[in-house]
Amino acid sequence: MVFDECAPGKARHEDAQKSMELTARWARRSRERFDSLQRSRLIPTESCEGLSGAQALFGIVQGAAHLDLRGESLERTQQIGFDGYAIGGLSVGEEKGVMWHVVGELAPLMPADRRALFNGRGTPEDLLEAVALGVDMFDCVLPRAMVGTARPSRREES
Protein backbone atom coordinates (compact mmCIF):
# COMPACT_ATOMS: atom_id res chain seq x y z
CA MET A 1 0.00 0.00 0.00
CA VAL A 2 1.19 3.49 -0.79
CA PHE A 3 1.31 6.12 1.88
CA ASP A 4 -1.88 8.17 1.99
CA GLU A 5 -3.74 10.78 3.99
CA CYS A 6 -7.27 9.99 5.01
CA ALA A 7 -9.54 13.01 5.33
CA PRO A 8 -12.43 12.73 7.81
CA GLY A 9 -15.62 11.35 6.30
CA LYS A 10 -17.43 14.65 6.64
CA ALA A 11 -14.50 16.75 5.41
CA ARG A 12 -15.27 19.90 3.43
CA HIS A 13 -14.59 19.61 -0.30
CA GLU A 14 -11.50 21.82 -0.18
CA ASP A 15 -10.00 19.87 2.75
CA ALA A 16 -10.72 16.52 1.09
CA GLN A 17 -9.17 17.83 -2.14
CA LYS A 18 -5.95 18.84 -0.39
CA SER A 19 -5.77 15.42 1.22
CA MET A 20 -6.46 13.66 -2.09
CA GLU A 21 -3.78 15.70 -3.87
CA LEU A 22 -1.24 14.91 -1.15
CA THR A 23 -2.10 11.22 -1.48
CA ALA A 24 -1.62 11.44 -5.27
CA ARG A 25 1.83 12.99 -4.85
CA TRP A 26 2.80 10.34 -2.33
CA ALA A 27 1.45 7.62 -4.62
CA ARG A 28 3.75 8.69 -7.44
CA ARG A 29 6.75 8.86 -5.08
CA SER A 30 5.84 5.47 -3.60
CA ARG A 31 5.56 3.88 -7.05
CA GLU A 32 8.93 5.28 -8.15
CA ARG A 33 10.74 4.16 -4.99
CA PHE A 34 9.03 0.76 -4.97
CA ASP A 35 10.05 0.12 -8.57
CA SER A 36 13.61 1.20 -7.80
CA LEU A 37 13.80 -1.21 -4.86
CA GLN A 38 12.32 -4.04 -6.92
CA ARG A 39 14.91 -3.49 -9.68
CA SER A 40 17.79 -3.30 -7.20
CA ARG A 41 16.58 -6.43 -5.41
CA LEU A 42 16.56 -4.59 -2.07
CA ILE A 43 13.03 -5.93 -1.65
CA PRO A 44 13.57 -9.67 -1.38
CA THR A 45 11.69 -11.75 -3.90
CA GLU A 46 11.37 -15.50 -4.03
CA SER A 47 9.71 -17.07 -7.01
CA CYS A 48 7.81 -20.33 -7.07
CA GLU A 49 5.85 -22.17 -9.72
CA GLY A 50 3.45 -19.77 -11.44
CA LEU A 51 4.48 -16.73 -9.38
CA SER A 52 7.22 -14.21 -10.08
CA GLY A 53 7.98 -13.50 -6.45
CA ALA A 54 7.66 -9.78 -7.11
CA GLN A 55 5.75 -7.83 -4.53
CA ALA A 56 2.56 -5.93 -5.38
CA LEU A 57 1.86 -2.29 -4.67
CA PHE A 58 -1.64 -0.86 -4.30
CA GLY A 59 -2.67 2.72 -4.90
CA ILE A 60 -5.28 4.22 -2.58
CA VAL A 61 -8.27 6.19 -3.86
CA GLN A 62 -9.20 9.06 -1.53
CA GLY A 63 -11.66 11.93 -1.59
CA ALA A 64 -13.90 11.50 1.49
CA ALA A 65 -17.58 11.41 0.48
CA HIS A 66 -17.04 13.66 -2.57
CA LEU A 67 -17.63 11.56 -5.69
CA ASP A 68 -15.93 14.06 -8.00
CA LEU A 69 -12.75 13.83 -5.90
CA ARG A 70 -13.00 10.05 -5.78
CA GLY A 71 -13.22 9.94 -9.57
CA GLU A 72 -10.24 12.27 -9.94
CA SER A 73 -8.26 10.28 -7.40
CA LEU A 74 -8.98 7.01 -9.21
CA GLU A 75 -7.98 8.53 -12.56
CA ARG A 76 -4.73 9.94 -11.20
CA THR A 77 -3.93 6.71 -9.40
CA GLN A 78 -4.56 4.67 -12.56
CA GLN A 79 -2.29 6.99 -14.55
CA ILE A 80 0.53 6.09 -12.16
CA GLY A 81 -0.28 2.39 -12.49
CA PHE A 82 -0.60 -0.07 -9.64
CA ASP A 83 -1.08 -3.79 -9.14
CA GLY A 84 -4.35 -3.09 -7.36
CA TYR A 85 -6.47 -0.20 -6.15
CA ALA A 86 -7.80 0.38 -2.66
CA ILE A 87 -10.87 2.33 -1.68
CA GLY A 88 -9.56 4.19 1.32
CA GLY A 89 -10.84 6.90 3.59
CA LEU A 90 -14.24 5.47 4.42
CA SER A 91 -15.53 4.37 7.82
CA VAL A 92 -14.07 7.55 9.27
CA GLY A 93 -17.12 9.42 10.48
CA GLU A 94 -19.55 9.45 7.56
CA GLU A 95 -22.91 7.70 7.79
CA LYS A 96 -22.89 4.09 6.65
CA GLY A 97 -25.32 4.91 3.82
CA VAL A 98 -22.87 7.50 2.49
CA MET A 99 -20.05 4.97 2.67
CA TRP A 100 -22.01 2.40 0.65
CA HIS A 101 -23.05 5.03 -1.86
CA VAL A 102 -19.39 5.93 -2.46
CA VAL A 103 -18.37 2.27 -2.78
CA GLY A 104 -21.31 1.58 -5.10
CA GLU A 105 -20.32 4.44 -7.39
CA LEU A 106 -16.56 3.83 -7.27
CA ALA A 107 -16.20 0.04 -7.40
CA PRO A 108 -17.59 -0.33 -10.96
CA LEU A 109 -15.03 2.24 -12.17
CA MET A 110 -12.07 0.29 -10.81
CA PRO A 111 -9.92 -1.47 -13.43
CA ALA A 112 -11.38 -4.91 -14.14
CA ASP A 113 -7.92 -6.45 -14.58
CA ARG A 114 -6.70 -5.37 -11.13
CA ARG A 115 -7.75 -6.16 -7.58
CA ALA A 116 -10.17 -3.81 -5.81
CA LEU A 117 -9.47 -3.59 -2.09
CA PHE A 118 -11.66 -1.97 0.56
CA ASN A 119 -9.88 -0.61 3.63
CA GLY A 120 -11.46 -0.53 7.04
CA ARG A 121 -14.50 -2.84 6.85
CA GLY A 122 -14.51 -6.37 8.20
CA THR A 123 -17.88 -7.53 9.50
CA PRO A 124 -19.40 -10.45 7.61
CA GLU A 125 -22.28 -8.24 6.47
CA ASP A 126 -19.87 -5.57 5.20
CA LEU A 127 -17.83 -8.14 3.30
CA LEU A 128 -20.91 -9.51 1.57
CA GLU A 129 -22.17 -6.02 0.68
CA ALA A 130 -18.78 -4.94 -0.68
CA VAL A 131 -18.36 -8.11 -2.75
CA ALA A 132 -21.81 -7.54 -4.24
CA LEU A 133 -20.61 -4.06 -5.26
CA GLY A 134 -17.44 -5.38 -6.93
CA VAL A 135 -14.77 -5.40 -4.22
CA ASP A 136 -12.63 -8.53 -3.97
CA MET A 137 -10.09 -7.85 -1.19
CA PHE A 138 -10.26 -6.38 2.30
CA ASP A 139 -7.85 -4.89 4.81
CA CYS A 140 -9.29 -4.48 8.29
CA VAL A 141 -8.20 -5.21 11.85
CA LEU A 142 -11.70 -6.27 12.92
CA PRO A 143 -11.54 -10.01 12.05
CA ARG A 144 -8.19 -10.35 13.84
CA ALA A 145 -9.41 -8.34 16.81
CA MET A 146 -12.49 -10.51 17.10
CA VAL A 147 -10.46 -13.73 16.94
CA GLY A 148 -7.91 -12.33 19.37
CA THR A 149 -10.63 -11.74 21.94
CA ALA A 150 -12.57 -14.90 21.04
CA ARG A 151 -15.70 -12.93 20.18
CA PRO A 152 -17.83 -14.73 17.62
CA SER A 153 -19.65 -12.61 15.10
CA ARG A 154 -23.41 -13.01 15.01
CA ARG A 155 -26.39 -10.99 14.06
CA GLU A 156 -28.38 -9.13 16.65
CA GLU A 157 -31.45 -11.08 17.67
CA SER A 158 -34.75 -9.23 17.53
Side-chain angles (χ1 to χ4, degrees):
M1 302 292 281
V2 299
F3 196 51
D4 69 326
E5 180 176 83
C6 176
K10 296 179 181 179
R12 295 176 311 144
H13 192 276
E14 66 182 43
D15 295 332
Q17 184 171 10
K18 287 179 185 175
S19 180
M20 182 271 298
E21 289 173 352
L22 181 60
T23 295
R25 288 193 304 273
W26 284 341
R28 181 163 303 283
R29 290 174 59 193
S30 293
R31 174 88 263 176
E32 290 168 359
R33 182 63 176 147
F34 182 85
D35 290 345
S36 170
L37 291 171
Q38 289 274 73
R39 284 189 303 273
S40 69
R41 301 251 185 231
L42 289 175
I43 296 177
T45 60
E46 190 173 311
S47 60
C48 62
E49 187 177 330
L51 299 173
S52 70
Q55 302 221 3
L57 183 64
F58 279 63
I60 304 176
V61 178
Q62 290 289 357
H66 305 284
L67 293 177
D68 61 322
L69 295 178
R70 291 281 176 171
E72 180 181 345
S73 180
L74 177 59
E75 184 178 315
R76 291 171 75 173
T77 305
Q78 284 180 278
Q79 287 173 354
I80 296 167
F82 291 96
D83 303 297
Y85 297 87
I87 301 171
L90 292 173
S91 303
V92 289
E94 76 285 343
E95 292 81 18
K96 200 167 190 177
V98 171
M99 176 190 72
W100 289 124
H101 178 70
V102 170
V103 174
E105 293 292 321
L106 191 59
L109 304 176
M110 305 284 263
D113 63 338
R114 300 282 186 241
R115 295 290 182 204
L117 183 141
F118 189 14
N119 286 333
R121 300 307 300 182
T123 66
E125 293 83 8
D126 288 343
L127 299 181
L128 292 173
E129 181 71 23
V131 167
L133 294 171
V135 174
D136 52 16
M137 293 179 72
F138 302 89
D139 180 17
C140 182
V141 300
L142 183 60
R144 171 63 181 100
M146 291 172 71
V147 169
T149 59
R151 288 179 32 211
S153 176
R154 61 183 175 163
R155 294 186 179 177
E156 295 291 322
E157 297 180 20
S158 339

